[in-house]
Amino acid sequence: MFELLYTSVSPKGLSESELLRILESSRSRNEKLDVTGMLVYHNREIMQILEGHKSVVQTLFSNIAEDQRHTSVSVFYEGEIEQRAFSQWSMAFTAVDKQALNGLVGDYEAFAQGHSPANLIENNPNLGKQMFLSLRDKL
């Protein structure tokens, strides 16, 4: 098994209906591809973790990186895993606000200064995975 954690920014933000359409199509596609994961949306920023067979996840990510709804796409972590962390979801989802993220990652001074979640995990991919696992456990 393989996992990939990335962030991107939506150029104009996504409405609730746009997010729902993306989730519906992602869930359907991911079921067919045997991909699992979670999507987190915060203030135009998208953070997603994908799990599955390496070639499938990498191809899927390449398609995401070329999608016009994503800019500033950055991979923060990718690697082999022993088992899936999101096996029950073709695509779990949550939209979070700054207060919820503070509760997940602690009271970081960087958050108080307005840094995005991507800035926080840029040098600490384990923090990114911990955030996803904490959110998963709240679903």
Side-chain angles (χ1 to χ4, degrees):
M1 259 323 102
F2 183 78
E3 71 181 355
L4 184 142
L5 168 63
Y6 78 90
T7 65
S8 69
V9 177
S10 174
K12 62 178 179 81
L14 298 170
S15 70
E16 188 174 325
S17 62
E18 288 172 309
L19 282 168
L20 289 174
R21 279 195 304 274
I22 290 168
L23 284 170
E24 287 174 10
S25 65
S26 295
R27 287 173 175 155
S28 176
R29 181 194 59 240
N30 289 357
E31 280 182 33
K32 293 174 186 167
L33 297 173
D34 192 28
V35 170
T36 55
M38 183 173 197
L39 175 73
V40 177
Y41 185 75
H42 168 73
N43 193 30
R44 292 185 40 226
E45 187 168 16
I46 297 165
M47 296 178 11
Q48 187 171 19
I49 190 165
L50 301 167
E51 305 168 321
H53 296 285
K54 184 175 183 176
S55 62
V56 174
V57 169
Q58 288 177 325
T59 299
L60 181 56
F61 174 72
S62 292
N63 293 336
I64 290 168
E66 293 174 10
D67 189 318
Q68 298 286 324
R69 296 173 292 190
H70 296 270
T71 62
S72 303
V73 180
S74 297
V75 173
F76 284 101
Y77 170 80
E78 60 183 320
E80 298 294 327
I81 54 175
E82 289 186 27
Q83 62 184 23
R84 296 173 191 255
F86 300 90
S87 61
Q88 297 178 356
W89 294 282
S90 59
M91 186 52 57
F93 170 75
T94 189
V96 294
D97 59 20
K98 188 177 280 191
Q99 182 178 8
L101 283 170
N102 260 337
L104 290 170
V105 300
D107 190 19
Y108 284 90
E109 184 178 326
F111 246 17
Q113 295 173 3
H115 290 279
S116 72
N119 294 139
L120 290 177
I121 67 171
E122 185 171 7
N123 295 315
N124 187 355
N126 288 331
L127 176 60
K129 177 86 180 250
Q130 290 169 344
M131 288 172 54
F132 277 97
L133 294 175
S134 294
L135 288 166
R136 176 202 65 189
D137 294 344
K138 294 179 189 294
L139 294 177

PDB file of all heavy atoms in Angstrom, residues 88-114:
ATOM      1  N   GLN A  88     -12.310   2.654   5.494  1.00  0.00           N
ATOM      2  CA  GLN A  88     -13.776   2.690   5.465  1.00  0.00           C
ATOM      3  C   GLN A  88     -14.333   3.755   4.526  1.00  0.00           C
ATOM      4  O   GLN A  88     -15.530   3.809   4.303  1.00  0.00           O
ATOM      5  CB  GLN A  88     -14.326   2.925   6.872  1.00  0.00           C
ATOM      6  CG  GLN A  88     -13.990   1.815   7.828  1.00  0.00           C
ATOM      7  CD  GLN A  88     -14.512   2.113   9.226  1.00  0.00           C
ATOM      8  OE1 GLN A  88     -15.055   3.179   9.490  1.00  0.00           O
ATOM      9  NE2 GLN A  88     -14.339   1.165  10.125  1.00  0.00           N
ATOM     10  N   TRP A  89     -13.465   4.603   3.978  1.00  0.00           N
ATOM     11  CA  TRP A  89     -13.950   5.720   3.181  1.00  0.00           C
ATOM     12  C   TRP A  89     -13.266   5.777   1.821  1.00  0.00           C
ATOM     13  O   TRP A  89     -12.049   5.844   1.735  1.00  0.00           O
ATOM     14  CB  TRP A  89     -13.678   7.053   3.882  1.00  0.00           C
ATOM     15  CG  TRP A  89     -14.443   7.228   5.141  1.00  0.00           C
ATOM     16  CD1 TRP A  89     -15.753   7.561   5.278  1.00  0.00           C
ATOM     17  CD2 TRP A  89     -13.937   7.090   6.470  1.00  0.00           C
ATOM     18  NE1 TRP A  89     -16.087   7.647   6.596  1.00  0.00           N
ATOM     19  CE2 TRP A  89     -14.988   7.357   7.351  1.00  0.00           C
ATOM     20  CE3 TRP A  89     -12.682   6.769   6.993  1.00  0.00           C
ATOM     21  CZ2 TRP A  89     -14.839   7.309   8.722  1.00  0.00           C
ATOM     22  CZ3 TRP A  89     -12.529   6.714   8.359  1.00  0.00           C
ATOM     23  CH2 TRP A  89     -13.597   6.985   9.200  1.00  0.00           C
ATOM     24  N   SER A  90     -14.075   5.820   0.767  1.00  0.00           N
ATOM     25  CA  SER A  90     -13.507   6.097  -0.550  1.00  0.00           C
ATOM     26  C   SER A  90     -13.040   7.543  -0.590  1.00  0.00           C
ATOM     27  O   SER A  90     -12.103   7.869  -1.312  1.00  0.00           O
ATOM     28  CB  SER A  90     -14.518   5.814  -1.657  1.00  0.00           C
ATOM     29  OG  SER A  90     -15.675   6.606  -1.474  1.00  0.00           O
ATOM     30  N   MET A  91     -13.666   8.399   0.214  1.00  0.00           N
ATOM     31  CA  MET A  91     -13.184   9.760   0.410  1.00  0.00           C
ATOM     32  C   MET A  91     -13.941  10.377   1.576  1.00  0.00           C
ATOM     33  O   MET A  91     -15.061  10.860   1.409  1.00  0.00           O
ATOM     34  CB  MET A  91     -13.375  10.630  -0.846  1.00  0.00           C
ATOM     35  CG  MET A  91     -12.760  12.020  -0.736  1.00  0.00           C
ATOM     36  SD  MET A  91     -11.033  12.069  -0.221  1.00  0.00           S
ATOM     37  CE  MET A  91     -10.243  11.057  -1.460  1.00  0.00           C
ATOM     38  N   ALA A  92     -13.344  10.325   2.750  1.00  0.00           N
ATOM     39  CA  ALA A  92     -13.913  11.023   3.900  1.00  0.00           C
ATOM     40  C   ALA A  92     -13.730  12.516   3.662  1.00  0.00           C
ATOM     41  O   ALA A  92     -12.853  12.941   2.912  1.00  0.00           O
ATOM     42  CB  ALA A  92     -13.210  10.586   5.185  1.00  0.00           C
ATOM     43  N   PHE A  93     -14.562  13.327   4.300  1.00  0.00           N
ATOM     44  CA  PHE A  93     -14.481  14.772   4.089  1.00  0.00           C
ATOM     45  C   PHE A  93     -14.820  15.519   5.354  1.00  0.00           C
ATOM     46  O   PHE A  93     -15.701  15.122   6.109  1.00  0.00           O
ATOM     47  CB  PHE A  93     -15.452  15.214   2.995  1.00  0.00           C
ATOM     48  CG  PHE A  93     -15.580  16.708   2.903  1.00  0.00           C
ATOM     49  CD1 PHE A  93     -14.573  17.463   2.337  1.00  0.00           C
ATOM     50  CD2 PHE A  93     -16.688  17.358   3.424  1.00  0.00           C
ATOM     51  CE1 PHE A  93     -14.669  18.847   2.268  1.00  0.00           C
ATOM     52  CE2 PHE A  93     -16.787  18.738   3.359  1.00  0.00           C
ATOM     53  CZ  PHE A  93     -15.775  19.475   2.775  1.00  0.00           C
ATOM     54  N   THR A  94     -14.126  16.625   5.555  1.00  0.00           N
ATOM     55  CA  THR A  94     -14.509  17.588   6.574  1.00  0.00           C
ATOM     56  C   THR A  94     -14.019  18.965   6.161  1.00  0.00           C
ATOM     57  O   THR A  94     -12.978  19.099   5.537  1.00  0.00           O
ATOM     58  CB  THR A  94     -13.961  17.198   7.975  1.00  0.00           C
ATOM     59  OG1 THR A  94     -14.544  18.045   8.955  1.00  0.00           O
ATOM     60  CG2 THR A  94     -12.461  17.284   8.036  1.00  0.00           C
ATOM     61  N   ALA A  95     -14.831  19.949   6.465  1.00  0.00           N
ATOM     62  CA  ALA A  95     -14.424  21.353   6.309  1.00  0.00           C
ATOM     63  C   ALA A  95     -14.157  21.857   7.714  1.00  0.00           C
ATOM     64  O   ALA A  95     -14.961  21.623   8.616  1.00  0.00           O
ATOM     65  CB  ALA A  95     -15.528  22.162   5.638  1.00  0.00           C
ATOM     66  N   VAL A  96     -13.042  22.485   7.914  1.00  0.00           N
ATOM     67  CA  VAL A  96     -12.677  22.927   9.255  1.00  0.00           C
ATOM     68  C   VAL A  96     -12.367  24.419   9.272  1.00  0.00           C
ATOM     69  O   VAL A  96     -11.930  24.988   8.278  1.00  0.00           O
ATOM     70  CB  VAL A  96     -11.468  22.140   9.812  1.00  0.00           C
ATOM     71  CG1 VAL A  96     -11.819  20.684  10.023  1.00  0.00           C
ATOM     72  CG2 VAL A  96     -10.262  22.259   8.907  1.00  0.00           C
ATOM     73  N   ASP A  97     -12.605  25.006  10.427  1.00  0.00           N
ATOM     74  CA  ASP A  97     -12.239  26.407  10.604  1.00  0.00           C
ATOM     75  C   ASP A  97     -10.944  26.483  11.416  1.00  0.00           C
ATOM     76  O   ASP A  97     -10.430  25.471  11.884  1.00  0.00           O
ATOM     77  CB  ASP A  97     -13.368  27.193  11.281  1.00  0.00           C
ATOM     78  CG  ASP A  97     -13.746  26.635  12.647  1.00  0.00           C
ATOM     79  OD1 ASP A  97     -12.949  25.897  13.269  1.00  0.00           O
ATOM     80  OD2 ASP A  97     -14.862  26.951  13.101  1.00  0.00           O
ATOM     81  N   LYS A  98     -10.435  27.674  11.590  1.00  0.00           N
ATOM     82  CA  LYS A  98      -9.150  27.862  12.271  1.00  0.00           C
ATOM     83  C   LYS A  98      -9.198  27.342  13.704  1.00  0.00           C
ATOM     84  O   LYS A  98      -8.251  26.736  14.186  1.00  0.00           O
ATOM     85  CB  LYS A  98      -8.744  29.331  12.254  1.00  0.00           C
ATOM     86  CG  LYS A  98      -7.340  29.571  12.765  1.00  0.00           C
ATOM     87  CD  LYS A  98      -6.940  31.015  12.660  1.00  0.00           C
ATOM     88  CE  LYS A  98      -6.516  31.316  11.260  1.00  0.00           C
ATOM     89  NZ  LYS A  98      -5.867  32.617  11.101  1.00  0.00           N
ATOM     90  N   GLN A  99     -10.314  27.545  14.389  1.00  0.00           N
ATOM     91  CA  GLN A  99     -10.433  27.079  15.765  1.00  0.00           C
ATOM     92  C   GLN A  99     -10.340  25.545  15.831  1.00  0.00           C
ATOM     93  O   GLN A  99      -9.664  24.998  16.693  1.00  0.00           O
ATOM     94  CB  GLN A  99     -11.744  27.561  16.370  1.00  0.00           C
ATOM     95  CG  GLN A  99     -11.916  27.155  17.828  1.00  0.00           C
ATOM     96  CD  GLN A  99     -13.213  27.690  18.409  1.00  0.00           C
ATOM     97  OE1 GLN A  99     -14.054  28.245  17.710  1.00  0.00           O
ATOM     98  NE2 GLN A  99     -13.374  27.509  19.704  1.00  0.00           N
ATOM     99  N   ALA A 100     -10.998  24.865  14.903  1.00  0.00           N
ATOM    100  CA  ALA A 100     -10.936  23.407  14.879  1.00  0.00           C
ATOM    101  C   ALA A 100      -9.520  22.922  14.597  1.00  0.00           C
ATOM    102  O   ALA A 100      -9.039  21.964  15.211  1.00  0.00           O
ATOM    103  CB  ALA A 100     -11.898  22.846  13.838  1.00  0.00           C
ATOM    104  N   LEU A 101      -8.829  23.588  13.672  1.00  0.00           N
ATOM    105  CA  LEU A 101      -7.450  23.203  13.374  1.00  0.00           C
ATOM    106  C   LEU A 101      -6.537  23.452  14.570  1.00  0.00           C
ATOM    107  O   LEU A 101      -5.661  22.648  14.869  1.00  0.00           O
ATOM    108  CB  LEU A 101      -6.929  23.948  12.148  1.00  0.00           C
ATOM    109  CG  LEU A 101      -7.436  23.426  10.820  1.00  0.00           C
ATOM    110  CD1 LEU A 101      -7.063  24.378   9.698  1.00  0.00           C
ATOM    111  CD2 LEU A 101      -6.912  22.048  10.536  1.00  0.00           C
ATOM    112  N   ASN A 102      -6.750  24.549  15.276  1.00  0.00           N
ATOM    113  CA  ASN A 102      -5.964  24.796  16.484  1.00  0.00           C
ATOM    114  C   ASN A 102      -6.141  23.662  17.479  1.00  0.00           C
ATOM    115  O   ASN A 102      -5.194  23.232  18.123  1.00  0.00           O
ATOM    116  CB  ASN A 102      -6.368  26.116  17.145  1.00  0.00           C
ATOM    117  CG  ASN A 102      -5.415  27.240  16.826  1.00  0.00           C
ATOM    118  OD1 ASN A 102      -4.266  27.005  16.483  1.00  0.00           O
ATOM    119  ND2 ASN A 102      -5.894  28.454  16.933  1.00  0.00           N
ATOM    120  N   GLY A 103      -7.374  23.170  17.605  1.00  0.00           N
ATOM    121  CA  GLY A 103      -7.632  22.062  18.517  1.00  0.00           C
ATOM    122  C   GLY A 103      -6.930  20.787  18.097  1.00  0.00           C
ATOM    123  O   GLY A 103      -6.567  19.966  18.936  1.00  0.00           O
ATOM    124  N   LEU A 104      -6.723  20.626  16.800  1.00  0.00           N
ATOM    125  CA  LEU A 104      -6.071  19.415  16.301  1.00  0.00           C
ATOM    126  C   LEU A 104      -4.558  19.461  16.429  1.00  0.00           C
ATOM    127  O   LEU A 104      -3.924  18.467  16.753  1.00  0.00           O
ATOM    128  CB  LEU A 104      -6.419  19.198  14.820  1.00  0.00           C
ATOM    129  CG  LEU A 104      -7.844  18.807  14.527  1.00  0.00           C
ATOM    130  CD1 LEU A 104      -8.093  18.876  13.041  1.00  0.00           C
ATOM    131  CD2 LEU A 104      -8.135  17.424  15.062  1.00  0.00           C
ATOM    132  N   VAL A 105      -3.973  20.590  16.156  1.00  0.00           N
ATOM    133  CA  VAL A 105      -2.513  20.665  16.096  1.00  0.00           C
ATOM    134  C   VAL A 105      -1.900  21.389  17.277  1.00  0.00           C
ATOM    135  O   VAL A 105      -0.696  21.539  17.357  1.00  0.00           O
ATOM    136  CB  VAL A 105      -2.022  21.320  14.778  1.00  0.00           C
ATOM    137  CG1 VAL A 105      -2.487  20.531  13.584  1.00  0.00           C
ATOM    138  CG2 VAL A 105      -2.459  22.763  14.682  1.00  0.00           C
ATOM    139  N   GLY A 106      -2.737  21.854  18.206  1.00  0.00           N
ATOM    140  CA  GLY A 106      -2.204  22.556  19.370  1.00  0.00           C
ATOM    141  C   GLY A 106      -2.181  24.050  19.129  1.00  0.00           C
ATOM    142  O   GLY A 106      -2.467  24.540  18.041  1.00  0.00           O
ATOM    143  N   ASP A 107      -1.856  24.758  20.134  1.00  0.00           N
ATOM    144  CA  ASP A 107      -1.876  26.210  20.075  1.00  0.00           C
ATOM    145  C   ASP A 107      -0.554  26.728  19.543  1.00  0.00           C
ATOM    146  O   ASP A 107       0.263  27.273  20.264  1.00  0.00           O
ATOM    147  CB  ASP A 107      -2.169  26.778  21.459  1.00  0.00           C
ATOM    148  CG  ASP A 107      -2.452  28.262  21.421  1.00  0.00           C
ATOM    149  OD1 ASP A 107      -2.778  28.768  20.328  1.00  0.00           O
ATOM    150  OD2 ASP A 107      -2.337  28.910  22.460  1.00  0.00           O
ATOM    151  N   TYR A 108      -0.312  26.542  18.260  1.00  0.00           N
ATOM    152  CA  TYR A 108       0.931  26.964  17.643  1.00  0.00           C
ATOM    153  C   TYR A 108       0.938  28.475  17.430  1.00  0.00           C
ATOM    154  O   TYR A 108      -0.037  29.048  16.973  1.00  0.00           O
ATOM    155  CB  TYR A 108       1.123  26.281  16.284  1.00  0.00           C
ATOM    156  CG  TYR A 108       1.541  24.854  16.406  1.00  0.00           C
ATOM    157  CD1 TYR A 108       0.591  23.849  16.473  1.00  0.00           C
ATOM    158  CD2 TYR A 108       2.885  24.516  16.467  1.00  0.00           C
ATOM    159  CE1 TYR A 108       0.960  22.531  16.587  1.00  0.00           C
ATOM    160  CE2 TYR A 108       3.264  23.192  16.574  1.00  0.00           C
ATOM    161  CZ  TYR A 108       2.301  22.207  16.630  1.00  0.00           C
ATOM    162  OH  TYR A 108       2.671  20.907  16.753  1.00  0.00           O
ATOM    163  N   GLU A 109       2.036  29.091  17.737  1.00  0.00           N
ATOM    164  CA  GLU A 109       2.194  30.521  17.511  1.00  0.00           C
ATOM    165  C   GLU A 109       1.986  30.847  16.033  1.00  0.00           C
ATOM    166  O   GLU A 109       1.422  31.880  15.690  1.00  0.00           O
ATOM    167  CB  GLU A 109       3.581  30.973  17.959  1.00  0.00           C
ATOM    168  CG  GLU A 109       3.788  32.461  17.835  1.00  0.00           C
ATOM    169  CD  GLU A 109       5.154  32.889  18.331  1.00  0.00           C
ATOM    170  OE1 GLU A 109       5.664  32.285  19.293  1.00  0.00           O
ATOM    171  OE2 GLU A 109       5.693  33.819  17.730  1.00  0.00           O
ATOM    172  N   ALA A 110       2.400  29.952  15.156  1.00  0.00           N
ATOM    173  CA  ALA A 110       2.248  30.178  13.718  1.00  0.00           C
ATOM    174  C   ALA A 110       0.779  30.354  13.350  1.00  0.00           C
ATOM    175  O   ALA A 110       0.452  31.188  12.500  1.00  0.00           O
ATOM    176  CB  ALA A 110       2.850  29.018  12.931  1.00  0.00           C
ATOM    177  N   PHE A 111      -0.110  29.582  13.966  1.00  0.00           N
ATOM    178  CA  PHE A 111      -1.530  29.734  13.679  1.00  0.00           C
ATOM    179  C   PHE A 111      -2.009  31.108  14.123  1.00  0.00           C
ATOM    180  O   PHE A 111      -2.771  31.759  13.430  1.00  0.00           O
ATOM    181  CB  PHE A 111      -2.333  28.648  14.390  1.00  0.00           C
ATOM    182  CG  PHE A 111      -2.997  27.703  13.451  1.00  0.00           C
ATOM    183  CD1 PHE A 111      -2.616  27.599  12.133  1.00  0.00           C
ATOM    184  CD2 PHE A 111      -4.018  26.907  13.900  1.00  0.00           C
ATOM    185  CE1 PHE A 111      -3.229  26.725  11.275  1.00  0.00           C
ATOM    186  CE2 PHE A 111      -4.640  26.030  13.052  1.00  0.00           C
ATOM    187  CZ  PHE A 111      -4.254  25.940  11.748  1.00  0.00           C
ATOM    188  N   ALA A 112      -1.559  31.545  15.277  1.00  0.00           N
ATOM    189  CA  ALA A 112      -1.947  32.857  15.775  1.00  0.00           C
ATOM    190  C   ALA A 112      -1.495  33.953  14.814  1.00  0.00           C
ATOM    191  O   ALA A 112      -2.120  35.007  14.731  1.00  0.00           O
ATOM    192  CB  ALA A 112      -1.361  33.093  17.157  1.00  0.00           C
ATOM    193  N   GLN A 113      -0.427  33.688  14.083  1.00  0.00           N
ATOM    194  CA  GLN A 113       0.086  34.660  13.130  1.00  0.00           C
ATOM    195  C   GLN A 113      -0.557  34.504  11.750  1.00  0.00           C
ATOM    196  O   GLN A 113      -0.153  35.162  10.799  1.00  0.00           O
ATOM    197  CB  GLN A 113       1.603  34.524  13.012  1.00  0.00           C
ATOM    198  CG  GLN A 113       2.319  34.867  14.290  1.00  0.00           C
ATOM    199  CD  GLN A 113       3.806  34.561  14.220  1.00  0.00           C
ATOM    200  OE1 GLN A 113       4.320  34.135  13.190  1.00  0.00           O
ATOM    201  NE2 GLN A 113       4.480  34.759  15.328  1.00  0.00           N
ATOM    202  N   GLY A 114      -1.537  33.605  11.635  1.00  0.00           N
ATOM    203  CA  GLY A 114      -2.291  33.484  10.397  1.00  0.00           C
ATOM    204  C   GLY A 114      -1.719  32.540   9.366  1.00  0.00           C
ATOM    205  O   GLY A 114      -2.130  32.575   8.220  1.00  0.00           O
TER     206      GLY A 114
END
